[in-house]
């Protein structure tokens, strides 16, 4: 029941992420709202990459970020980022479909160099925070980037100011 609930949300929200990533024009990829901020392309690539973390979160008790290989691909075109998202979301869906409820309460850790980055916690908590909520946070940032560059924002939970009444 836990996994089925996550899977239903995953499918709905993957479609919302797809809409948002497809709304990015190439002309906005280099936009950066501040010196410490990522560019639109980097942020969108990170959003696509979150889906690549499902395997390490669901199938490993320790996710070693020090050993993790981030493959953002070519982010010079928005279409490339969408393609990477599609590749990652397909793998994530398969991992989630094969997950078991009984594994959701086992302890999970994220480490780097043998040191915990986060406190150990049940996998179900990691799913909600590290995967789902983390993604929603960055999607919100991306919406601000799109607005700041004069681009339309797709409706994710209903109409936006860009939709005609």
């Amino acid at each position: 029941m836990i996994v089925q609930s996550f899977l239903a949300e995953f499918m709905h929200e993957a479609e919302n992420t797809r809409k948002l990533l497809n709304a990015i024009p190439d002309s906005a990829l280099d936009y950066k709202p501040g010196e410490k901020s990522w560019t639109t392309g980097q942020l969108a690539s990170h959003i696509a990459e979150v889906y690549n973390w499902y395997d390490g979160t669901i199938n490993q008790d320790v996710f070693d970020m020090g050993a993790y290989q981030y493959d953002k691909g070519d982010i010079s075109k928005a279409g490339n980022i969408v393609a990477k998202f599609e590749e990652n979301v397909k793998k994530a869906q398969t991992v989630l479909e094969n997950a078991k409820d009984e594994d959701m309460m086992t302890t999970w850790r994220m480490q780097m160099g043998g040191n915990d980055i986060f406190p150990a916690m049940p996998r179900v908590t990691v799913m909600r925070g590290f995967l789902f909520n983390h993604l929603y946070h960055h999607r919100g940032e991306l919406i601000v980037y799109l607005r700041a560059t004069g681009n339309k924002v797709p409706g994710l939970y209903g109409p936006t100011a860009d939709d005609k009444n």
Side-chain angles (χ1 to χ4, degrees):
M1 190 145 138
I2 295 169
V3 171
Q4 286 305 309
S5 176
F6 277 142
L7 187 58
E9 183 176 347
F10 173 91
M11 297 303 291
H12 177 76
E13 295 301 338
E15 182 56 33
N16 280 338
T17 302
R18 182 176 288 110
K19 286 183 205 175
L20 191 55
L21 293 176
N22 278 317
I24 303 169
D26 289 344
S27 61
L29 289 174
D30 292 329
Y31 171 75
K32 187 175 172 175
E35 189 173 314
K36 294 181 181 181
S37 301
W38 284 336
T39 65
T40 302
Q42 290 167 324
L43 178 58
S45 172
H46 180 64
I47 289 168
E49 185 64 14
V50 169
Y51 290 96
N52 205 35
W53 298 344
Y54 276 72
D55 186 51
T57 302
I58 293 174
N59 294 322
Q60 298 173 25
D61 291 333
V62 176
F63 190 115
D64 183 358
M65 284 302 280
Y68 179 73
Q69 297 294 313
Y70 177 39
D71 176 19
K72 66 181 175 181
D74 175 8
I75 64 170
S76 67
K77 301 278 186 213
N80 296 340
I81 297 168
V82 171
K84 182 58 80 173
F85 159 78
E86 295 295 351
E87 175 186 326
N88 291 344
V89 80
K90 183 177 179 182
K91 286 189 268 184
Q93 180 180 343
T94 299
V95 168
L96 191 52
E97 287 172 343
N98 290 308
K100 307 233 179 309
D101 280 353
E102 55 268 22
D103 294 333
M104 290 296 125
M105 297 312 291
T106 59
T107 300
W108 182 91
R109 306 178 117 75
M110 178 184 283
Q111 295 183 339
M112 187 175 290
N115 297 312
D116 285 347
I117 296 174
F118 298 125
M121 60 188 79
R123 186 171 276 109
V124 69
T125 304
V126 177
M127 293 288 298
R128 170 60 50 211
F130 179 59
L131 297 179
F132 286 76
N133 294 348
H134 179 189
L135 177 72
Y136 305 151
H137 158 75
H138 287 307
R139 285 190 338 201
E141 287 180 304
L142 185 55
I143 287 168
V144 172
Y145 281 40
L146 286 171
R147 284 270 185 247
T149 55
N151 292 290
K152 292 183 178 182
V153 173
L156 304 183
Y157 302 107
T160 70
D162 297 318
D163 296 322
K164 295 185 182 201
N165 296 330

